[in-house]
Amino acid sequence: MKQKIESLNAQLSAAIANVQNKEQLAAFWQEYLGKKGHYSLLMTELRNVPAEERPQAGKVINEAKKWAEAQYQELSARIAQIELEAQNAREAVDITMPATRRPAGSLHPITIVKDQMIDVFAGMGFEIYEGPEIEDDDHNFTRLNVHKNHPARDMQDTFYVADDIVLRTHTSPGQIRVMDSQQPPIKVLVPGRVFRSDSDATHSPMFHQMEGLVVDKGITLCDLQGMLDKFVQALFSADVKTRLRPSYFPFTEPSVEVDVSCFACGGKGCSLCKGTGWIEVLGGGVVHRQVLQNCGVDPDVYSGFAFGIGIERITMLKYGINNMGYLFENDVRFLKQFKD
Ligand code: DAH
C-alpha cells in the first residue's frame, strides 16, 4: 500500500506540471480527487489489506489524500493567477494611444442668423409666436385681404394640401392668429418655415421667414423705419441706413420694400449691391385697416406695422453665399465653415 501511495504521489507531482488552465485543472481533480479518482479508490483497496494493518493503512491513505488535496489547492491558486494575468493581457488598454474623436457639429447658418435676429428683436421687447405650417386658406390669404380671385394670389405659387388647406406661403397668417388670441398692445415675432412651388438659385420650395407685428395706439410708418434701423445696424454694421420704397402688399397700406445701404461697399456701389449702393432686405408696411377689422381690432383706435423678412436672403447676404441650394444640400464641407 505504502509503495502504491508513493508512486501515486509521484504520478500526481508529475501531472501538476502539465496543468496550465481551468479545464486541465478540472480534469486533474477528476482524475485524482474525484469520487472515482485515484486517491478515493485507495480506500476501496483497504479490504485487501490484512485486518491488523487496516487502521494504520487507513491513516496513511487519509494523509495521502489530504496531501493530494493541498497540492490541488496550491495548483488551483496558481491557475487562477495565470488566468487572471492572461485576461489582463487580453483586455489591456494602451492609454497612450490617441483617442478616436467625433467631429463636433455646429449650428446651421440659417439657425445662427435666425437666432441673431430673434436676439435683436427680443431686445426691443418682441415676443415669439409660432403658428402651424399647414394653414387654412382663410388665415393664409382671405383674412390678410387676399380674396379668392385676388390677383395677388399669383405672387405666391401655393402648395395645396386640400381644397382650402395650404402649406403656408408666408408667416403672415401668424399675424391673424396672434390678433385673434390677444388684444393690443401687440409686439410679436413669428419665425418659421414657409413653402412655395418655386425653385432656382435664389428660391427654394421651403424657406424661412420672420414676421413682425406691432399693434398699438398711434403706431406709424416712422415707427417701422426707426425700429428697422436699429435692427439692420445690429445685424449688419453700426453705420448702415435703411431706405423705404413704395410697394404693394394686400395686407399693408401703405406698403414698402426696405433697402439697407450696402454693408460691403458702404453705398459706393459693388457687385453685392449690383452697383446701386442699396440691398433689398424685407417687405413691410402699415397694417391694412381691413386686416385689423378682420381680427376684431378697431382701426379707428389702433394702428400697427408689420414686416416679413426672408431668413435665407439675410443669411446669403451676411455670408456672401450666391446659391440658396448650398443652404439645403447639407454638405459638411460647407456647413462646417459656420462655427459660431
Ligand atoms: N408676406 C410677405 C411675403 O411673403 C412679406 C410681407 C410683406 C410680410 C409685408 C408683411 C408685410 O408682414 O407687412 O412676401
Side-chain angles (χ1 to χ4, degrees), residues 156 169-170 172 175 196 209 211-212 249 251-252 283-285 306-308:
Q156 304 183 351
T169 56
H170 49 179
S172 303
Q175 295 186 30
R196 288 185 205 175
Q209 283 189 337
E211 192 83 9
F249 298 103
F251 28 89
T252 42
F307 58 91

Side-chain angles (χ1 to χ4, degrees), residues 11-17 19 22-34 37-39 68 71-73 75:
Q11 189 189 330
L12 178 139
S13 299
I16 282 178
V19 177
K22 268 205 272 194
E23 291 71 32
Q24 290 169 348
L25 180 70
F28 175 91
W29 166 266
Q30 283 287 326
E31 185 175 352
Y32 291 93
L33 293 160
H38 298 309
Y39 285 87
Q71 298 297 305
Y72 170 79
Q73 292 304 339
L75 178 60

Side-chain angles (χ1 to χ4, degrees), residues 168-204:
R168 68 175 173 197
T169 56
H170 49 179
T171 42
S172 303
Q175 295 186 30
I176 305 295
R177 292 188 174 274
V178 169
M179 284 192 279
D180 273 352
S181 65
Q182 70 189 74
Q183 288 300 310
I186 289 171
K187 205 170 184 185
V188 288
L189 211 54
V190 187
R193 292 195 288 186
V194 301
F195 307 84
R196 288 185 205 175
S197 180
D198 213 355
S199 185
D200 60 36
T202 51
H203 295 91
S204 150

Side-chain angles (χ1 to χ4, degrees), residues 2 26 51 65 92 97 130 135 151 156 159 165 191 213 219 227 264 284 291 294 317 335:
K2 218 174 174 179
K65 204 170 175 196
M97 292 270 284
E130 285 182 83
E135 264 297 6
Q156 304 183 351
F159 288 116
I165 306 290
L213 173 71
I219 298 289
M227 187 219 63
V291 174
N294 291 346
L317 285 172
L335 294 176

Side-chain angles (χ1 to χ4, degrees), residues 71-299:
Q71 298 297 305
Y72 170 79
Q73 292 304 339
E74 222 176 88
L75 178 60
S76 157
R78 218 183 70 216
I79 296 298
Q81 184 61 27
I82 290 174
E83 299 253 333
L84 182 67
E85 278 164 17
Q87 186 185 356
N88 285 346
R90 265 198 315 276
E91 293 173 3
V93 173
D94 181 353
I95 56 165
T96 64
M97 292 270 284
T100 44
R101 287 169 194 271
R102 283 170 193 274
S106 56
L107 290 179
H108 192 280
I110 290 180
T111 307
I112 294 174
V113 171
K114 184 188 81 177
D115 289 351
Q116 284 174 354
M117 289 166 68
I118 289 178
D119 269 1
V120 176
F121 284 118
M124 299 187 215
F126 280 78
E127 286 174 42
I128 306 289
Y129 170 83
E130 285 182 83
E133 292 177 354
I134 299 176
E135 264 297 6
D136 51 51
D137 187 283
D138 212 38
H139 286 86
N140 195 82
F141 291 126
T142 308
R143 289 172 73 198
L144 283 164
N145 216 16
V146 190
H147 297 279
K148 271 265 185 296
N149 297 313
H150 197 296
R153 288 215 179 192
D154 287 348
M155 287 161 75
Q156 304 183 351
D157 295 321
T158 310
F159 288 116
Y160 280 86
V161 175
D163 265 356
D164 277 327
I165 306 290
V166 300
L167 297 186
R168 68 175 173 197
T169 56
H170 49 179
T171 42
S172 303
Q175 295 186 30
I176 305 295
R177 292 188 174 274
V178 169
M179 284 192 279
D180 273 352
S181 65
Q182 70 189 74
Q183 288 300 310
I186 289 171
K187 205 170 184 185
V188 288
L189 211 54
V190 187
R193 292 195 288 186
V194 301
F195 307 84
R196 288 185 205 175
S197 180
D198 213 355
S199 185
D200 60 36
T202 51
H203 295 91
S204 150
M206 187 285 294
F207 59 105
H208 299 76
Q209 283 189 337
M210 180 95 66
E211 192 83 9
L213 173 71
V214 173
V215 182
D216 202 349
K217 289 178 181 157
I219 298 289
T220 70
L221 198 63
C222 293
D223 296 308
L224 173 65
Q225 186 163 26
M227 187 219 63
L228 286 177
D229 276 341
K230 290 273 171 284
F231 167 68
V232 296
Q233 283 158 8
L235 203 65
F236 295 111
S237 91
D239 51 6
V240 296
K241 293 193 278 286
T242 57
R243 174 177 85 171
L244 306 188
R245 275 183 293 112
S247 183
Y248 174 75
F249 298 103
F251 28 89
T252 42
E253 180 57 39
S255 301
V256 293
E257 301 278 0
V258 180
D259 296 340
V260 54
S261 57
C262 183
F263 42 85
C265 64
K268 288 192 213 74
C270 66
S271 60
L272 185 68
C273 60
K274 299 193 182 87
T276 65
W278 294 92
I279 298 172
E280 183 190 325
V281 286
L282 59 101
V286 173
V287 181
H288 199 292
R289 288 173 63 88
Q290 186 62 50
V291 174
L292 294 178
Q293 237 157 18
N294 291 346
C295 301
V297 175
D298 184 346

